[in-house]
Amino acid sequence: MRDLAQLALDEAVAAGAGYADARAVLEEGESLSVQDDRVEGVERSATRGVGVRVLVDGSWGFAGTARLDREQIMAAARRAVAIAKASATAQRRAVRLAPVQVATGSYTTPYGTDPFDVGIDDKLELLLAAAAAARGEPKLTLAKASFDAWRTSKWFVSSEGADLQQTLLQLAGGVECIAVGENEVQVRSYPNSFRGYCATGGWEDVVALDLVGQAQQHAEEAVALLDAPNLPPQTGTLVLDANQVALQVHESVGHPLELDRILGYEAAYAGTSWVGIGDVGSLRYGSDHVNLTVDTTTDKGLGTYGWDDEGVPAGRHPLVANGILRDFLTSRETAPYVDDQTRSNGTMRADSWGTIPLIRMTNINLEPGSGSFEQLLDEAGDGIYMSTNKSWSIDDKRLNFQFGCEVAYDIRGGKLGKLYRNPTYTGRTPVFWGSCDGIAGPQHWQVYGTPNCGKGEPGQVARVSHGAAPARFRDVQMGVR
Amino acid sequence: MTPQSDESLLGRDGFSRLADAALDADLGGGMAAVEVLLQREAGGLTRFANSQIHQNVWREDLAANVRVVTDDGRVGVASIHTDDPAAVAQTARQAADIARLSPPDPAFPGLAPMAKAGDVDVDESTLAATPEDRAEAVRALLAEVDQRYEAAGAYRTQADEIGVFNTEGQRSYAPRSSASLTLVVTGPSSSGWAEDGGRSRHDIDPAGAGRRAVDKVRAGADPTDVDAGQWTVVLEPPAVGTLAAYLAYMAFGGRDYLEGRSYAVGRLGEQVADERVSLTDDPRSPHAGGYPVDYEGTPTSTVELLAGGVLQSVVHDRNTAKQAGTDSTGNALPAPNTYGPMALYPIFTPGDGGSTADLVAGCERGLLVTRFHYTNVLNRKETTATGMTRDGTFLIQDGKVTKAVRNLRFTQSLIGALAQVEAVSSDIAYAGEGFEYGCRQPALRIAGFSFTGTTSFG
């Protein structure tokens, strides 16, 4: 596959590209789903192709093809150059790339057991056992369990001399318990919603989830939610489970700090940002408790790799320090907009051989605070605790958001009490993060995967992660219906 | 040599060669049936922002999805992206191996029988579009946007093909052309939206879209606050398209219906919406962008979902149709499909309300909504969704648009909204949000639409 990337690169340069890079990508996938005692789907997939990206006179062109004979690949490279020339007919400012240390090398995700080496029948046995355990709650309507794995092998070469090979291993597994009432459908997911645990690593990480042991209690909670009251409208103290903090970070920190959004590149589709390019160093994003990083070295993170899809090495960079904005997610094209000395912090990723790299979230982490979860509740006074995302929506500047969770409990006297269904909360980004007055310590900090992050046109879906711990927020509007 | 055309077709013969590689492959003993779904996508997309082209891409992909069924009802699926017949044959063998490892599926309904699918219109000039054709369209719309504003959007031309071939004798093949344009023009305090699209790039008027978006951004300048609460709204076609797509997702899937999770449970035949409201799923319509065949080889059809406000039916694939004791409506997704059948092209039937302007003229006090943003489901069974307005929200007073307002968040049962429809326009326009390829929708005037929050920009 590397030779195919080199072929595309050579042809693009010969056709007139001032800069070119080429990626040859093979992604293998496996997806297993069961419902109750029935196997719903077993699929193996493979997609492979070559994408070539070129700059001609400061304008971009890109072409990708799954047809891997030499003629088709060389035609794709020439097509990319022709497209760049067409781009140049509507150009205001030529693209200038921030410098990068040209790298050669390889990277492989650390793992114990390759999930593709585990038999499909063994995996189905685990999933069927988890679903059966959930059906130990007799009032449960449906029990689902799933497993997914992706192995991405990619080769990157550039006209600057980069020559990189990476193999990334990502996987997901979880249980979904569904209770259907007369006018209600309630769901409890373990260990998280939207395909469960999602991370880089090996099969041992899925085994460690103990899906079978955890299934029944989540099934019982789903059934209990059918008879629970809706969360009443109120404004007060909200403690979020780490899995919901992770999505809060995703929507109200990760996306608005993508520098391409700030520069207007996504204006017509995903939107722009409430943050301006001149806000670094002065904008108060949240309270002093709030420290956020972009970290492509996070253990188990779906955004963990050796180099991004522009050949920029992995690293850890502060985004918000003690509540003050410090940086954006950047690329080689966008970093110079901050100032001439700024380098990319390595967040460019494409979701396949056939798409261009975009600034993506990689691993955007809320750094842990101190103390235990119990202390967080103790100091809450009266309040509400919510866990596990069910719904998300945020405006096109990433200011006004509304989230729904699977489950909520009263907090009274530092203890979780009454159960509520259909909980929601809403707010505005800087006000919400400004109201954060507690984050649990490292012992509660986990990395959560978000496998369905959409961005760009044509649409791309990235698998990204967020490290988070439970956190407490004051004066939050809840129970919107 | 510079490529002259972006999107030529592989054709029925090319598809047949690939499919036969799987259908004729030696899969070992005990195999009862094989299905090959082939999908080719070739298209270019020219993206612009800050009034210049900033991303410009082309991609050609060819995916083979092979489903194999054993004599005792075990099912395996494998897929690969390739144009190599030998690789497709190998994928069929992999699917057979997976099937052998899977337990029998007693609910499996069998593969689709041989059936003739109709045709949809295909535009040769869209298939043959070049990067320069797309750049020319972008330049035409940018010429309408003066220096005070910035334009961002995307112009896409696409040549797709689908083929479903199986051992029951089904050998369906269909090409599809499509094109779309999206545009946001941004000013100091407002933004304005326009979009267009269809099965042909000639359905798109780039300069006209530029003028519409500029009109919106001008009218939207200096927005003021209005309170959240119940408002009469006039929803332009892009906003109506979002309603249609989410309603189809939440209420009309056969699997959700059979599992008791759909709003439609116990309500078939009931009057649930105003009598002015009819909604059909119609992939082959000239106003939609679908194929004449679904992803398991059943011909697509026109399905009445709501007729005169009465809930008529849900959509089925072969699996849910078997469970329901009925026929597939041609709404299958690719195997293995854990979501069930989907109504991918729901279209509201135009009414007798005239234009969007006529709907505004009939409104004493309300809000004109251009489009919604980031809509999401809150409660499937109630069809409750939330989302924001975007790119042009205006106050209507005494039948006239009087001023721009800042964006609002809605939280609303979508079926509940359809019960409060006051008027349906006779004019229709392209709406892309929420669809693989867009549909043309009318505008709606709806009373008592629930807004639950505000934001600080227009």
Side-chain angles (χ1 to χ4, degrees):
Chain A
M1 291 288 281
R2 187 205 167 279
D3 291 346
L4 299 180
Q6 187 69 50
L7 178 66
L9 177 66
D10 292 344
E11 186 70 10
V13 171
Y19 166 84
D21 57 42
R23 283 176 296 112
V25 180
L26 165 62
E27 180 168 292
E28 300 156 279
E30 183 176 279
S31 182
L32 313 179
S33 300
V34 308
Q35 179 170 308
D36 300 330
D37 59 355
R38 175 176 172 243
V39 175
E40 284 195 304
V42 178
E43 183 185 22
R44 279 270 178 109
S45 60
T47 176
R48 56 189 176 180
V50 172
V52 56
R53 186 178 72 146
V54 305
L55 272 176
V56 177
D57 297 331
S59 285
W60 286 116
F62 174 87
T65 183
R67 300 170 76 177
L68 296 184
D69 57 273
R70 290 176 60 86
E71 279 308 313
Q72 292 294 339
I73 288 171
M74 289 192 290
R78 292 193 297 272
R79 191 186 299 275
V81 171
I83 288 171
K85 288 176 178 171
S87 301
T89 65
Q91 182 198 70
R92 274 185 175 178
R93 170 178 164 154
V95 172
R96 185 165 65 86
L97 298 179
V100 64
Q101 183 71 42
V102 173
T104 61
S106 63
Y107 171 87
T108 299
T109 299
Y111 64 91
T113 301
D114 185 337
F116 290 91
D117 290 342
V118 178
I120 286 173
D121 44 353
D122 292 336
K123 293 172 197 159
L124 287 175
E125 186 179 336
L126 173 67
L127 298 182
L128 288 165
R135 295 308 298 260
E137 163 52 60
K139 293 181 181 171
L140 191 72
T141 311
L142 300 167
K144 293 171 176 278
S146 61
F147 170 79
D148 303 274
W150 304 272
R151 178 166 51 213
T152 307
S153 305
K154 53 186 174 184
W155 294 260
F156 175 88
V157 292
S158 78
S159 57
E160 295 172 331
D163 191 345
L164 303 167
Q165 195 279 322
Q166 302 191 74
T167 301
L168 308 178
L169 197 53
Q170 302 171 319
L171 72 177
V175 177
E176 192 179 32
C177 305
I178 301 167
V180 179
E182 190 171 346
N183 285 308
E184 278 292 329
V185 178
Q186 292 296 328
V187 179
R188 284 295 285 132
S189 308
Y190 173 79
N192 203 359
S193 44
F194 309 110
R195 304 300 276 188
Y197 172 89
C198 300
T200 50
W203 172 247
E204 65 279 1
D205 298 323
V206 173
V207 173
L209 296 173
D210 187 21
L211 296 179
V212 177
Q214 293 287 333
Q216 186 168 342
Q217 76 177 73
H218 286 78
E220 290 166 357
E221 201 167 40
V223 170
L225 281 167
L226 286 179
D227 295 323
N230 286 320
L231 181 71
Q234 59 194 284
T235 298
T237 297
L238 171 64
V239 174
L240 292 179
D241 194 357
N243 54 24
Q244 177 58 27
V245 172
L247 201 68
Q248 182 74 48
V249 168
H250 181 96
E251 300 289 2
S252 67
V253 178
H255 278 308
L257 294 187
E258 294 161 348
L259 188 50
D260 55 349
R261 285 182 74 111
I262 292 167
L263 292 171
Y265 289 13
E266 297 289 328
Y269 181 61
T272 58
S273 176
W274 67 282
V275 180
I277 200 163
D279 288 337
V280 171
S282 60
L283 178 71
R284 178 157 281 285
Y285 210 99
S287 70
D288 287 345
H289 296 270
V290 176
N291 291 283
L292 292 142
T293 55
V294 49
D295 186 352
T296 45
T297 68
T298 304
D299 185 36
K300 304 294 183 192
L302 290 167
T304 297
Y305 42 68
W307 299 268
D308 76 354
D309 286 337
E310 290 190 310
V312 176
R316 183 173 192 269
H317 308 274
L319 292 172
V320 173
N322 299 322
I324 303 298
L325 179 69
R326 294 296 175 200
D327 204 352
F328 307 112
L329 311 185
T330 59
S331 63
R332 293 186 66 192
E333 178 184 351
T334 58
Y337 283 83
V338 180
D339 65 55
D340 281 350
Q341 302 306 310
T342 303
R343 302 288 181 266
S344 168
N345 51 29
T347 66
M348 287 286 274
R349 302 163 77 192
D351 73 348
S352 86
W353 50 264
T355 51
I356 54 169
L358 300 172
I359 292 177
R360 303 311 301 256
M361 262 183 255
T362 68
N363 310 306
I364 309 300
N365 303 329
L366 177 66
E367 298 300 315
S370 59
S372 67
F373 176 62
E374 290 71 24
Q375 283 174 282
L376 207 63
L377 296 181
D378 257 348
E379 295 163 6
D382 291 349
I384 297 293
Y385 168 75
M386 295 187 197
S387 179
T388 315
N389 183 265
K390 187 162 77 171
S391 174
W392 63 99
S393 176
I394 190 165
D395 69 31
D396 56 295
K397 290 187 188 296
R398 301 274 150 179
L399 265 178
N400 177 310
F401 60 79
Q402 181 166 310
F403 290 100
C405 289
E406 288 185 355
V407 65
Y409 287 93
D410 256 343
I411 305 169
R412 293 284 180 270
K415 304 290 183 200
L416 298 182
K418 187 174 179 179
L419 177 71
Y420 293 104
R421 73 186 184 196
N422 301 326
T424 60
Y425 68 97
T426 188
R428 296 190 188 185
T429 295
V431 177
F432 183 79
W433 286 109
S435 79
C436 178
D437 74 342
I439 302 170
Q443 68 274 32
H444 299 287
W445 194 87
Q446 290 186 59
V447 177
Y448 291 89
T450 300
N452 54 349
C453 176
K455 186 177 177 182
E457 293 177 285
Q460 296 191 39
V461 178
R463 295 185 282 270
V464 308
S465 283
H466 306 286
R472 188 176 60 227
F473 304 86
R474 302 290 187 180
D475 299 318
V476 180
Q477 185 184 349
M478 295 175 273
V480 181
R481 284 181 64 77
Chain B
M1 182 185 73
T2 299
Q4 293 302 306
S5 162
D6 270 5
E7 288 107 34
S8 55
L9 299 174
L10 199 60
R12 180 183 286 276
D13 290 347
F15 267 43
S16 293
R17 271 194 299 277
L18 284 170
D20 287 340
L23 297 180
D24 297 340
D26 179 3
L27 305 181
M31 294 299 138
V34 181
E35 170 194 271
V36 187
L37 165 64
L38 296 169
Q39 296 179 85
R40 178 176 175 274
E41 300 174 351
L45 185 141
T46 298
R47 215 171 176 208
F48 51 97
N50 303 313
S51 299
Q52 66 170 352
I53 293 173
H54 71 115
Q55 292 167 6
N56 204 347
V57 303
W58 178 89
R59 162 188 169 123
E60 179 188 26
D61 195 6
L62 178 55
N65 201 59
V66 184
R67 176 160 60 168
V68 173
V69 188
T70 67
D71 288 337
D72 57 353
R74 301 167 196 264
V75 181
V77 177
S79 65
I80 191 165
H81 296 239
T82 186
D83 63 347
D84 177 7
V88 175
Q90 177 57 33
T91 301
R93 287 189 281 274
Q94 187 178 35
D97 291 342
I98 291 170
R100 289 187 189 94
L101 292 170
S102 302
D105 179 2
F108 186 70
L111 300 181
M114 186 167 56
K116 184 168 173 49
D119 294 315
V120 294
D121 293 339
V122 176
D123 177 62
E124 295 294 333
S125 77
T126 302
L127 302 179
T130 66
E132 180 50 36
D133 291 332
R134 289 187 289 274
E136 184 181 345
V138 171
R139 290 195 299 270
L141 73 87
L142 292 178
E144 301 295 330
V145 181
D146 66 48
Q147 297 286 324
R148 289 173 297 168
Y149 303 121
E150 299 282 7
Y155 184 90
R156 174 186 62 83
T157 58
Q158 190 83 20
D160 297 337
E161 296 165 273
I162 189 173
V164 186
F165 300 75
N166 67 31
T167 48
E168 298 298 309
Q170 179 62 320
R171 297 183 71 84
S172 57
Y173 163 83
R176 173 174 68 180
S177 58
S178 66
S180 64
L181 169 68
T182 58
L183 172 62
V184 166
V185 174
T186 307
S189 63
S190 60
S191 57
W193 172 257
E195 65 180 319
D196 220 338
R199 293 188 186 270
S200 164
R201 66 188 176 97
H202 301 297
D203 292 334
I204 298 171
D205 173 9
R211 289 190 290 274
R212 293 201 308 276
V214 168
D215 287 346
K216 284 266 186 194
V217 71
R218 282 190 184 131
D222 303 320
T224 58
D225 285 323
V226 293
D227 292 334
Q230 309 272 313
W231 283 85
T232 295
V233 290
V234 174
L235 304 182
E236 294 195 6
V240 172
T242 301
L243 243 62
Y246 277 87
L247 204 52
Y249 172 64
M250 288 192 280
F252 294 109
R255 177 165 182 172
D256 285 347
Y257 178 79
L258 292 167
E259 292 179 348
R261 295 198 278 165
S262 162
Y263 173 84
V265 174
R267 292 191 172 96
L268 291 180
E270 263 186 32
Q271 185 86 34
V272 297
D274 185 88
E275 62 185 14
R276 298 173 186 85
V277 177
S278 293
L279 181 70
T280 58
D281 182 60
D282 196 358
R284 291 181 295 181
S285 164
H287 302 309
Y291 280 123
V293 67
D294 76 2
Y295 295 101
E296 61 183 8
T298 302
T300 53
S301 60
T302 303
V303 183
E304 281 196 332
L305 305 171
L306 294 168
V310 176
L311 208 162
Q312 297 290 333
S313 58
V314 296
V315 298
H316 288 291
D317 57 17
R318 291 183 56 76
N319 188 295
T320 62
K322 180 184 176 188
Q323 290 179 62
T326 185
D327 294 326
S328 170
T329 52
N331 289 84
L333 300 181
N337 169 23
T338 59
Y339 296 99
M342 288 282 290
L344 296 175
Y345 297 95
I347 304 174
F348 283 103
T349 305
D352 58 3
S355 65
T356 301
D358 293 329
L359 265 54
V360 169
C363 177
E364 189 176 331
R365 181 176 166 78
L367 296 173
L368 173 64
V369 176
T370 299
R371 64 185 292 223
F372 292 125
H373 173 78
Y374 219 141
T375 303
N376 211 331
V377 176
L378 278 178
N379 187 322
R380 275 175 91 96
K381 205 154 184 182
E382 294 175 353
T383 69
T384 303
T386 185
M388 297 293 300
T389 67
R390 182 178 172 185
D391 298 328
T393 308
F394 302 94
L395 183 66
I396 302 168
Q397 291 173 300
D398 299 324
K400 291 189 170 59
V401 171
T402 55
K403 58 184 175 183
V405 301
R406 294 196 171 95
N407 288 319
L408 295 109
R409 171 172 296 286
F410 75 89
T411 303
Q412 170 70 51
S413 160
L414 302 188
I415 285 281
L418 296 184
Q420 301 294 323
V421 164
E422 294 181 342
V424 181
S425 74
S426 38
D427 291 355
I428 58 174
Y430 181 83
E433 167 84 11
F435 301 96
E436 182 187 16
Y437 298 126
C439 303
R440 291 184 181 273
Q441 305 282 358
L444 298 176
R445 190 172 71 232
I446 301 172
F449 199 84
S450 178
F451 291 99
T452 53
T454 61
T455 193
S456 54
F457 60 93

